[in-house]
Protein backbone atom coordinates (compact mmCIF):
# COMPACT_ATOMS: atom_id res chain seq x y z
CA UNK A 1 0.00 0.00 0.00
CA UNK A 2 2.80 2.45 0.90
CA UNK A 3 4.56 1.63 -2.33
CA UNK A 4 1.46 2.56 -4.39
CA UNK A 5 0.98 5.75 -2.38
CA UNK A 6 4.64 6.71 -2.84
CA UNK A 7 4.46 5.97 -6.58
CA UNK A 8 1.30 8.09 -6.91
CA UNK A 9 2.94 10.98 -5.05
CA UNK A 10 6.04 10.80 -7.24
CA UNK A 11 3.95 10.80 -10.42
CA UNK A 12 1.75 13.67 -9.21
CA UNK A 13 4.72 15.81 -8.21
CA UNK A 14 6.50 15.05 -11.49
CA UNK A 15 3.45 16.10 -13.50
CA UNK A 16 3.17 19.24 -11.42
CA UNK A 17 6.82 20.08 -12.06
CA UNK A 18 6.42 19.45 -15.79
CA UNK A 19 3.35 21.71 -15.88
CA UNK A 20 5.32 24.43 -14.10
CA UNK A 21 8.24 24.07 -16.50
CA UNK A 22 6.08 24.08 -19.61
CA UNK A 23 3.35 26.62 -18.88
CA UNK A 24 4.91 29.59 -17.12
CA UNK A 25 3.02 32.85 -17.55
CA UNK A 26 6.27 34.83 -17.53
CA UNK A 27 7.37 33.33 -20.86
CA UNK A 28 7.22 35.91 -23.64
CA UNK A 29 7.61 35.67 -27.39
CA UNK A 30 8.59 39.31 -27.64
CA UNK A 31 9.50 39.43 -31.32
CA UNK A 32 8.58 42.28 -33.64
CA UNK A 33 8.27 42.75 -37.41
CA UNK A 34 12.06 43.00 -37.71
CA UNK A 35 12.85 39.76 -35.81
CA UNK A 36 14.55 37.37 -38.17
CA UNK A 37 15.22 33.65 -37.83
CA UNK A 38 18.90 33.11 -37.09
CA UNK A 39 18.96 29.90 -39.17
CA UNK A 40 16.55 30.58 -42.08
CA UNK A 41 16.87 34.39 -42.33
CA UNK A 42 13.08 34.90 -42.60
CA UNK A 43 10.82 37.20 -40.57
CA UNK A 44 9.27 35.19 -37.74
CA UNK A 45 6.14 37.32 -37.18
CA UNK A 46 4.55 35.98 -40.38
CA UNK A 47 3.90 32.54 -38.84
CA UNK A 48 3.40 33.04 -35.07
CA UNK A 49 2.35 29.42 -34.39
CA UNK A 50 5.85 28.26 -35.32
CA UNK A 51 8.05 30.83 -33.53
CA UNK A 52 10.76 29.62 -31.14
CA UNK A 53 13.10 31.70 -29.01
CA UNK A 54 16.37 31.30 -27.18
CA UNK A 55 17.40 33.85 -24.59
CA UNK A 56 21.06 33.81 -23.68
CA UNK A 57 22.48 34.53 -20.24
CA UNK A 58 23.93 37.78 -21.61
CA UNK A 59 20.35 38.96 -22.35
CA UNK A 60 20.50 38.49 -26.13
CA UNK A 61 17.26 37.12 -27.62
CA UNK A 62 17.38 34.88 -30.69
CA UNK A 63 14.28 34.02 -32.70
CA UNK A 64 13.57 31.09 -34.98
CA UNK A 65 10.97 30.36 -37.64
CA UNK A 66 10.25 26.91 -36.19
CA UNK A 67 11.17 24.39 -33.49
CA UNK A 68 13.38 22.56 -36.00
CA UNK A 69 15.42 25.69 -36.67
CA UNK A 70 15.81 26.41 -32.96
CA UNK A 71 16.88 22.83 -32.20
CA UNK A 72 19.35 22.94 -35.09
CA UNK A 73 20.89 26.03 -33.49
CA UNK A 74 20.74 24.53 -29.99
CA UNK A 75 22.52 21.33 -31.06
CA UNK A 76 25.20 23.00 -33.20
CA UNK A 77 25.63 26.62 -32.04
CA UNK A 78 29.19 26.67 -33.40
CA UNK A 79 27.76 27.01 -36.93
CA UNK A 80 26.74 30.50 -35.84
CA UNK A 81 29.98 31.39 -34.06
CA UNK A 82 29.23 35.10 -34.33
CA UNK A 83 26.40 34.64 -31.77
CA UNK A 84 28.98 33.73 -29.12
CA UNK A 85 27.45 30.61 -27.57
CA UNK A 86 30.25 28.53 -26.09
CA UNK A 87 28.42 26.02 -23.88
CA UNK A 88 25.08 24.86 -22.51
CA UNK A 89 25.54 27.41 -19.71
CA UNK A 90 25.02 30.26 -22.21
CA UNK A 91 21.34 29.29 -22.66
CA UNK A 92 19.01 30.99 -20.16
CA UNK A 93 15.61 30.17 -21.68
CA UNK A 94 14.50 27.98 -24.59
CA UNK A 95 10.92 28.47 -25.77
CA UNK A 96 8.64 27.13 -28.47
CA UNK A 97 5.06 28.06 -29.32
CA UNK A 98 2.37 25.54 -28.39
CA UNK A 99 0.70 24.78 -31.73
CA UNK A 100 -2.80 24.58 -30.17
CA UNK A 101 -2.80 27.49 -27.73
CA UNK A 102 -0.18 29.73 -29.40
CA UNK A 103 1.33 30.31 -25.94
CA UNK A 104 5.09 30.19 -25.35
CA UNK A 105 6.20 27.06 -23.50
CA UNK A 106 9.49 25.71 -22.20
CA UNK A 107 10.98 23.65 -25.04
CA UNK A 108 12.68 21.21 -22.67
CA UNK A 109 9.31 20.22 -21.20
CA UNK A 110 7.39 20.22 -24.49
CA UNK A 111 6.36 17.30 -26.69
CA UNK A 112 7.10 17.32 -30.41
CA UNK A 113 5.32 15.53 -33.25
CA UNK A 114 7.56 14.19 -35.99
CA UNK A 115 6.38 13.18 -39.46
CA UNK A 116 3.03 14.95 -39.67
CA UNK A 117 1.49 16.35 -42.83
CA UNK A 118 1.75 19.91 -41.44
CA UNK A 119 4.77 21.93 -42.53
CA UNK A 120 6.35 25.10 -41.16
CA UNK A 121 8.00 27.97 -43.05
CA UNK A 122 11.16 25.85 -42.70
CA UNK A 123 9.55 22.81 -44.39
CA UNK A 124 9.22 19.44 -42.66
CA UNK A 125 9.31 20.21 -38.97
CA UNK A 126 8.52 19.24 -35.40
CA UNK A 127 5.17 20.48 -34.09
CA UNK A 128 5.34 21.55 -30.43
CA UNK A 129 2.76 20.99 -27.67
CA UNK A 130 2.66 21.56 -23.92
CA UNK A 131 1.18 18.13 -23.20
CA UNK A 132 1.74 14.61 -24.43
CA UNK A 133 -2.01 14.17 -24.88
CA UNK A 134 -2.27 17.21 -27.19
CA UNK A 135 0.72 16.00 -29.22
CA UNK A 136 -0.68 12.47 -29.49
CA UNK A 137 -4.09 13.83 -30.55
CA UNK A 138 -2.47 16.03 -33.21
CA UNK A 139 -0.33 13.12 -34.44
CA UNK A 140 -3.39 10.90 -34.90
CA UNK A 141 -5.21 13.61 -36.89
CA UNK A 142 -2.23 14.64 -39.05
CA UNK A 143 -0.42 11.37 -39.76
CA UNK A 144 2.30 12.07 -37.19
CA UNK A 145 4.79 9.22 -36.93
CA UNK A 146 6.10 9.79 -33.40
CA UNK A 147 5.75 12.00 -30.32
CA UNK A 148 9.07 12.93 -28.69
CA UNK A 149 10.42 14.87 -25.76
CA UNK A 150 13.07 17.54 -26.35
CA UNK A 151 15.92 15.30 -25.19
CA UNK A 152 14.89 12.59 -27.67
CA UNK A 153 15.44 14.79 -30.73
CA UNK A 154 18.73 13.86 -32.35
CA UNK A 155 20.99 15.80 -34.67
CA UNK A 156 20.36 13.05 -37.24
CA UNK A 157 16.61 13.72 -37.10
CA UNK A 158 17.16 17.44 -37.65
CA UNK A 159 19.40 16.66 -40.63
CA UNK A 160 16.74 14.29 -42.00
CA UNK A 161 14.06 16.98 -41.67
CA UNK A 162 16.39 19.39 -43.47
CA UNK A 163 16.92 16.88 -46.30
CA UNK A 164 20.61 16.41 -45.49
CA UNK A 165 20.58 12.65 -45.05
Amino acid sequence: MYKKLFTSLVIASSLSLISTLVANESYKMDYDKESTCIVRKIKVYQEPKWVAKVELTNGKKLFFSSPKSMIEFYQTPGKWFDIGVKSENDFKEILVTDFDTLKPINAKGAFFVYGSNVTSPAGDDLVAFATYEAAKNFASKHNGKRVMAFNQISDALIRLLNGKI
Side-chain angles (χ1 to χ4, degrees):
M1 174 169 161
Y2 290 113
K3 190 174 185 179
K4 283 185 182 180
L5 179 61
F6 177 73
T7 303
S8 296
L9 286 172
V10 168
I11 290 171
S13 60
S14 296
L15 290 174
S16 175
L17 177 61
I18 289 170
S19 301
T20 302
L21 284 174
V22 173
N24 182 328
E25 292 301 318
S26 69
Y27 295 148
K28 302 270 188 264
M29 285 293 188
D30 47 354
Y31 56 87
D32 59 28
K33 289 192 176 209
E34 298 306 312
S35 301
T36 304
C37 174
I38 298 296
V39 176
R40 307 274 178 251
K41 306 295 185 212
I42 59 178
K43 302 288 184 191
V44 299
Y45 80 92
Q46 296 173 327
E47 291 284 348
K49 64 186 168 195
W50 291 101
V51 179
K53 172 184 158 185
V54 168
E55 185 171 346
L56 302 176
T57 54
N58 67 9
K60 186 169 187 161
K61 296 174 185 177
L62 310 172
F63 294 98
F64 302 88
S65 59
S66 72
K68 173 183 74 172
S69 298
M70 180 275 295
I71 294 168
E72 181 178 353
F73 174 83
Y74 177 82
Q75 292 178 343
T76 56
K79 284 174 68 175
W80 296 270
F81 62 89
D82 56 319
I83 301 295
V85 175
K86 294 180 178 43
S87 75
E88 176 82 21
N89 296 332
D90 292 327
F91 293 97
K92 177 181 175 186
E93 191 173 74
I94 305 167
L95 304 176
V96 290
T97 302
D98 180 286
F99 198 79
D100 278 344
T101 67
L102 301 183
K103 291 184 178 181
I105 57 175
N106 183 319
K108 289 189 174 185
F111 296 92
F112 299 86
V113 176
Y114 159 71
S116 77
N117 57 12
V118 175
T119 57
S120 79
D124 288 338
D125 218 305
L126 300 166
V127 187
F129 295 91
T131 67
Y132 178 80
E133 293 77 24
K136 190 173 177 184
N137 186 30
F138 177 88
S140 69
K141 290 179 182 174
H142 295 279
N143 300 321
K145 306 294 183 255
R146 186 169 170 206
V147 174
M148 295 177 265
F150 183 83
N151 64 356
Q152 294 175 305
I153 301 169
S154 67
D155 176 57
L157 177 60
I158 297 301
R159 287 184 287 137
L160 176 69
L161 289 169
N162 282 331
K164 295 181 179 177
I165 289 185

